[in-house]
Amino acid sequence: MTEPAHSESTGVGRTAQKPVQLDDTDDYDDLLAEHDLVLLEFVTSGCGICASMDPVLGTVARSAPGVVATVNAGHVPELTGEFDVRSVPTLVVLKDGEEVARLDDGFQSAETLVDLLETHAAQ
């Protein structure tokens, strides 16, 4: 698992950080063991919309509860199959290891993603 380059507590239960890159299922298992709320983005190399989501996910990672992680769907087929990913980018919100929301219809704004995470953090 590629760790964020910089991490610091913001004092409100949030951590300012960059998205975490998951390289295999062990990274995914470790992430779920450490975090109750996860925004998981499935991407592929060469996907223009996925690339345009990078700065958005950075903003979400710094301003929303939970942790943001990305996984290359082509490199970790076990997770791609487990989540039945059929298009990229696919964004999945996990709470306590269970899928609670999914967005798989293209580009999403930071505001949409932050609102989604805040809603699920409050439940």
Side-chain angles (χ1 to χ4, degrees), residues 25-39:
T25 56
D26 289 339
D27 288 350
Y28 171 74
D29 293 339
D30 292 344
L31 186 75
L32 290 185
E34 295 172 16
H35 301 279
D36 296 335
L37 186 63
V38 175
L39 174 63

Side-chain angles (χ1 to χ4, degrees), residues 2-110:
T2 307
E3 293 298 323
H6 175 69
S7 177
E8 66 182 51
S9 176
T10 62
V12 221
R14 296 180 182 158
T15 304
Q17 62 184 14
K18 296 179 181 178
V20 176
Q21 176 66 44
L22 303 181
D23 298 319
D24 55 36
T25 56
D26 289 339
D27 288 350
Y28 171 74
D29 293 339
D30 292 344
L31 186 75
L32 290 185
E34 295 172 16
H35 301 279
D36 296 335
L37 186 63
V38 175
L39 174 63
L40 183 60
E41 181 196 38
F42 287 89
V43 301
T44 57
S45 302
C47 168
I49 296 173
C50 301
S52 69
M53 288 292 300
D54 284 347
V56 170
L57 292 178
T59 298
V60 173
R62 289 185 300 275
S63 57
V67 65
V68 177
T70 62
V71 61
N72 187 310
H75 296 165
V76 191
E78 302 87 355
L79 284 180
T80 304
E82 179 179 334
F83 285 96
D84 195 28
V85 173
R86 300 188 180 267
S87 63
V88 291
T90 292
L91 297 135
V92 179
V93 178
L94 303 166
K95 183 154 185 186
D96 299 322
E98 298 296 321
E99 182 176 334
V100 294
R102 175 183 291 243
L103 300 168
D104 56 5
D105 51 353
F107 184 87
Q108 303 295 325
S109 71

